[in-house]
Amino acid sequence: MSNQTIRVEAMTRDLVDCTFETFAHHYLPKPNEGLVDTVLAALVTVGVLEKRPMHCDLSSTSPSSGKFAQFSEHFFATGLKQTTAHGLFADTAEKIMDILALETKSHLGEDRRSPPPDEPYKHRLFSRSNRRLASVATKSDCRVDACLLGSSNDAGVGCHQILIPFLIHSTEGNDVVQIREELLLTANLIMNGDARRMFLYGITIESDRVSVWYFSRNHSVKADSFSFVKHPERLIHLFVSLFSANDEALGLDPNIVLYPKESSGNPSYIYRFSNGSVDECRLFKSTEAIGDHTGSLRVSGHTTRVWKAVEVANIDGDPLTGTGDGMKAEGVVIKDVWIDATAETEKEIQDKIFKSINEFVESPEPWKGHPCLAKFTPLQFADLESLIVDKQYRKCFLRIRETHQSQPSKAVAKDSWMHDDPFTVSETPQTAIPPQLPSTLGATNLVQSAPDNVNGRIEARYPPKKRCFFMFDEICTRVSHLPTFGDAVDILRQTYTVLLLMFCAGWIHRDISTGNILAMEGKQGKWLLKLADLEYAEPFPATVPPGRENWRIGTPFFMATELQRGHYFTLTKAAEDQDPSYLETEVQNSSADPETNVVHNLQHDLESLWWIGFYLGTVKVGPNLQSALWCRDMGIFCGHLEANPDSRHQLLLRGFPKELQETFHPGLKTFMALWRKLGNNMMASYQRRSPGDVTDKSTYAHISWHFVTFLDALEDSRNQWGPVPLLIPGARESKKRARREKAEEEEDDKGVRSHADPSRTSDIGPSMKRPRVSDNEL
């Protein structure tokens, strides 16, 4: 299956259908009252349209009233120079643009004291050109036949200049499938290639039939096609609605500005944090993308962007002249993410976690008596005690300093229906072409499909989403990009302690990965943890049951065994702590109901931490690459959920095979031996906990104690594994290594595939957020 086919199929998963009337009412921008009628009258005056005689039996009203006639009150005038559907369509669009421009001048002439509040068509052109639409950001291109431009500069048209793409075919048959597929690919390119995009309109013309589309971060819509020859009012209403709209109404976020404004290629952006007031806003200009911004296979999939940025003085990007009132002339990090409209933001979740930790520590009940800490010795409380003093734990989180939220995106129109086969077009000959149509303008045999009122309605609505900006003033390094293995293990230990404190206070993280465990260099070269990406963190136990497959959240590279397999498991034979010999047994599904959702718990987060330690010790150490090649060949670290991921999970179930142990870096032999035993003990802890006890916090005392015990034991051999260097991101390596890492990046960086740790990804700042893996984008 080709990449293009995969992308098209992915794009159709969020696609619904509706009638054109529903689309016009729910999705199109609303033109000023009377503007459609004004344009219709002007088109009659200039000889583009003619009005039907009054004796014609018309049983509906005009489009300007919000209803669309089955029989048009107008028809295209005979004797027009344009004799093809394509030419007639384009000529009508240009005429409407001219009329709207005249309307603007007319309003200015009526009242010269102030300009109208909006002059949306002042600098736009309707470009009739067959060209490739390129995007540096997405490293791809698509074809457009025509477009509504955002500025008068038509040179080098790219995804940042195009407001609405048009794809046109004047022939019939299979070309309809091709043109619609091309529009989906073009929409994906524009939405993911331009950070300003909130949503996008698109238009396809198949002979004389027009289909209008809407693409957003929660769903996409195709309106039933119509013949613009038979129904010119619908075409006029569509054009007036789009051509008279301002940039925001056409899908550009008013709080993100292109910099410089006439950019093509790969520009910067200026983000506005309004703080509820335009007069009190702060502005940040992006200077470099962190991670990969190419987007996902579908518009509603991977939508997060992370930038290095600097604060600027104004929307023109002028540098700050001072740093008063908390302004920062030095670098910051901007995170731009879409979440469910009803969901709490990462800042709100972070504040709740801090509040819960404070309440846990200050509770009348001694915090050391928490059931999860029941096996701790007095010395093993030291790390937790250091976090609690003066609320030092706050320094272990990547703190959010500024936030911004948008209004929710549009909900699915209530009269929409699911899109069964988006490109199946029934072919029933059309004979009712109006006699006034120029004889050289061929008829089409394409007819719109009618909605199935019984079975085709949407059964589950796509929830609206909202856009959030976050500003972090701490620029960090991923745990996998630290200088030495010892530095990384120090950060893993700090992460374990914070996760344990969160759990005792009633929270789990649910997305532990190398991209979310960050570090800052402190005094005397000591690295300090900055835990990031809390948007999927939730209370434990959850206040509401998880939705079907809602537990499968996180980064597949490091996801826990039970989450990837989709069920709890036990062993056919009892496992014993620190004794790998019992792991020679097979896995057996638990007796729990297979339809029961797996409850994401502390041990799942700790297992992700274990996988990161294994990943660092096999993939991120050099110069010996044999362990990394073994992991690749065995499919240990995959960017997606496999149907049967046993090859990965046998490492936990059976331990490390001899052929793998022989590939370990010499300095890591002791570390990996202890890490293997810790993995065995995780399996024993899973076995001891029955599915009915997963919300009992006391059942996590055993594994919590094992982690701190093994981390303490590892210190005895620090002089062996501590100095081992980690691979430097972007360092020159062999062609074989480069090819392997490129393949891993492609596997790791797209769709639900994680951004776990591609070597050529910038090592600065928080990771890019993956969508929930239950979205099944593959």
Side-chain angles (χ1 to χ4, degrees), residues 197-272:
R197 277 290 173 185
M198 299 182 293
F199 57 87
L200 174 74
Y201 295 105
I203 294 176
T204 55
I205 303 98
E206 304 131 8
S207 188
D208 69 315
R209 300 198 72 82
V210 176
S211 295
V212 56
W213 307 65
Y214 171 88
F215 303 92
S216 74
R217 294 303 185 187
N218 64 316
H219 73 291
S220 300
V221 186
K222 177 190 173 298
D224 267 351
S225 66
F226 64 89
S227 168
F228 71 88
V229 173
K230 293 174 60 179
H231 300 285
E233 285 99 344
R234 297 187 182 188
L235 181 67
I236 308 312
H237 185 99
L238 173 63
F239 279 167
V240 172
S241 297
L242 297 176
F243 295 170
S244 65
N246 59 23
D247 286 353
E248 183 177 359
L250 293 180
L252 298 186
D253 195 318
N255 293 296
I256 305 178
V257 177
L258 203 63
Y259 179 83
K261 294 180 180 179
E262 299 296 326
S263 291
S264 61
N266 196 18
S268 297
Y269 300 92
I270 294 178
Y271 280 76
R272 178 191 290 115

Side-chain angles (χ1 to χ4, degrees), residues 483-606:
T484 69
F485 194 81
D487 295 328
V489 172
D490 287 343
I491 293 300
L492 293 185
R493 177 166 190 146
Q494 294 176 47
T495 306
Y496 156 75
T497 307
V498 170
L499 291 176
L500 183 61
L501 181 60
M502 284 177 58
F503 184 72
C504 290
W507 287 84
I508 53 174
H509 188 284
R510 299 207 303 162
D511 189 17
I512 295 300
S513 73
T514 56
N516 299 335
I517 300 176
L518 311 177
M520 285 188 66
E521 191 170 8
K523 297 178 180 179
Q524 299 177 340
K526 180 176 174 60
W527 290 90
L528 305 175
L529 169 69
K530 295 294 178 179
L531 188 61
D533 286 1
L534 298 173
E535 59 233 55
Y536 291 152
E538 67 175 18
F540 183 89
T543 54
V544 295
R548 181 67 183 145
E549 301 217 357
N550 194 39
W551 73 84
R552 302 178 90 174
I553 287 175
T555 304
F557 260 47
F558 311 112
M559 186 176 289
T561 305
E562 290 185 339
L563 299 177
Q564 281 210 355
R565 294 175 68 89
H567 56 69
Y568 300 110
F569 60 84
T570 60
L571 300 177
T572 58
K573 193 174 183 180
E576 297 179 7
D577 293 335
Q578 300 186 24
D579 189 349
S581 62
Y582 286 111
L583 291 180
E584 296 303 321
T585 55
E586 296 296 328
V587 177
Q588 167 181 297
N589 292 350
S590 73
S591 58
D593 182 352
E595 294 299 315
T596 300
N597 291 339
V598 176
V599 176
H600 201 132
N601 56 61
L602 171 66
Q603 187 162 345
H604 295 148
D605 279 357
L606 295 183

